[in-house]
Amino acid sequence: MVWLAWMAGFFIRYSIWPDSPPLVFWSAEIMMVMVLQGLVSFRFNMYRGLWRFASMPDLINLVKSATIGTLVIALFFVLLNRLEGIPRSVLLLYPVILLILWGGPRITYRLWKDKYFNLNNSTIPRAIVIGAGHLADAFIRNASSTRSCHVLSIIDDSEALKGAHLRGVKIQSGLEDLSLTVSELQADLVVIAKQRPSSALIRQVVDQLAETACTIRIAPDPDDQDHHLLNVNQLQPLTVEDLLGREKIELDWSGVAAYIKNKSVLVTGGGGSIGSELCRQLARFGVSQLSIVDHSEFNLYLVDKALSEMDLLVHSHLCDVTNNSHLYHIFKQTQPDVVFHAAAYKHVPLLESHACEGYLNNVIGTKNVADCCADFAVDKMVLISTDKAVNPCSVMGATKRLAEKYCQLKNQQSQTDFFTVRFGNVLGSAGSVVPLFEQQIAAGGPLTVTHEKMERYFMTIEEACQLILQSLVLENDNDVLVLDMGQPVKIKSLAERMIALSGKAGEIKISITGLRSGEKLYEELHYDMESLIPTETQKIRAVKHSNQQPEQLNQQILQAAKMARRFEQDQLKKMLGQMVPEFKGNELRVIQSNPQTTEQKQS
């Protein structure tokens, strides 16, 4: 190549010089050019690169080698004979021709191996990439070099990029026409290659492809992966969490750590979804001992096993919170400083026909725990409540509201700080709609939705527990705290999107079964007469209210407990209506008012 470039330079120069001397094809001068250029090329590892993987760094090496080689050759002949017989134009033409001769074969071979000349290969996926940034560049580069897929188009709504090309692939706008683009290009894979894409973007992509069989994947966060190695196998399926798009918030854990460290903590319902996650998070804060209470033998075994490998003193107690004497014995043994009461029955339709059991577990169980907290001078008790406790029309909601009221009463009477943390559904919890939909999709459908307009609030279990722990160190005198659940989600839309994510669009149907007993269309996070006050933690609001709980509430609760133990379900529901006046008993009351968000009614 060096000889050919040198000869080509002389040939071009002599071809435009009328009285040019004859072209000499070999001489001592040419031999020195080849030796000098060879030494420079060896220095830049020109002979070690793999043509199959020729890339920009290789091209830069070619430029360096040709440029520096020309300078060395020029310097040598200046010192030897002041460039006698070597036209200056040859020294300008030589590196350009050499770069073409070096780079041309490498690029041609690379393109041939990457199948750029055979785009009709139907054995690999045909992909459309959403986004035109670093992740997209890394994915397209890897996809072309490994032949893992054909990238047909890039969609990015940035006007500055419209019409441009990224690694030979045209960038176009029009995400709203994604389904049409997929159909026209016959794509079977859509890759979201944006760093931290918004939930709105993800929902738009899923909705566009809901009626297609196209697979949707998302590029991993470059902070968690080496994005230079991004390939098809590293793409991740979308999850329900991606659809909901709960933004991560930065929490100050120093206050929680300082408060909870070296304290004895007790968690009831510690084997459940919320309780077990609370236990895992508490274990990281250096508590002196962690006492777990649960009436499920298997759940208690699982959480005990999960925590057994940590450097932590764990006491697991197989106990029903309705057993007051056993609970009193546990408190006497463990002497807790902080208590999280997460034990509860939560299945709305089931408790409609088992009101007595629901009352005993949710109300009397809470009363037993709260009384023990007061008797043993516990510093703080946190009641885990639900949005179904607001304007309840179910036994489950009414019993949780009554549990809130009893903790408010104890807060008026005791030195213990009693407060309630109220929030909506958590993803993946036992009995949640998400695992149910996943099971129904696996079984081939249909997905059962009770009403087309049904809406619910959602957050992840991890986020809910993080905010519950943050509530321990908030400086406020309010006894009810509400977690910011964001905007409610339509259950039918969630079902449609989960079907789309499964890749079974068109195969699985949605069945509208009708509202079940105790269900509402919309859940509320606070009462109309309550207002929300911001706290120092971004996603926690305090409920401001002036209601004092009557002293006779305790006697009413005990009277209702006798009815529950005698299985007098109808009388019990009437008694619940007296203690929780907004509870409508067996009347199915569908809330038609606009659903609230926790951004409303703040003062």
Side-chain angles (χ1 to χ4, degrees), residues 244 246 273-274 346 348 385-388 396 422-435 454-464 483-489 491 494 516 519-520 522-525:
L244 296 179
R246 301 273 311 170
S273 305
I274 293 291
K346 299 181 286 291
V348 172
S385 190
T386 169
D387 54 1
K388 294 173 179 62
M396 183 271 192
R422 187 191 293 160
F423 52 95
N425 295 11
V426 289
L427 293 172
S429 64
S432 170
V433 68
V434 173
M454 178 76 72
E455 290 184 354
R456 288 295 181 265
Y457 293 98
F458 288 98
M459 73 183 345
T460 64
I461 295 177
E462 181 182 14
E463 181 185 7
L483 304 189
D484 182 1
M485 302 294 297
Q487 295 297 322
V489 176
I491 302 301
L494 178 63
R516 298 173 296 179
E519 283 189 324
K520 298 190 293 185
Y522 307 111
E523 298 292 1
E524 304 158 281
L525 291 167

Side-chain angles (χ1 to χ4, degrees), residues 143-189:
S144 62
S145 65
T146 61
R147 289 182 289 161
S148 54
C149 73
H150 290 317
V151 177
L152 307 171
S153 177
I154 301 171
I155 297 179
D156 194 300
D157 284 333
S158 172
E159 287 297 324
L161 299 175
K162 186 177 180 180
H165 287 75
L166 176 61
R167 295 195 175 270
V169 183
K170 187 176 181 179
I171 301 172
Q172 63 186 69
S173 60
L175 190 59
E176 65 277 4
D177 298 322
L178 178 61
S179 59
L180 182 61
T181 305
V182 166
S183 177
E184 289 177 347
L185 298 179
Q186 298 182 343
D188 43 32
L189 174 65

Side-chain angles (χ1 to χ4, degrees), residues 378-389:
V378 171
D379 186 29
K380 292 185 179 184
M381 174 186 157
V382 184
L383 170 65
I384 310 302
S385 190
T386 169
D387 54 1
K388 294 173 179 62

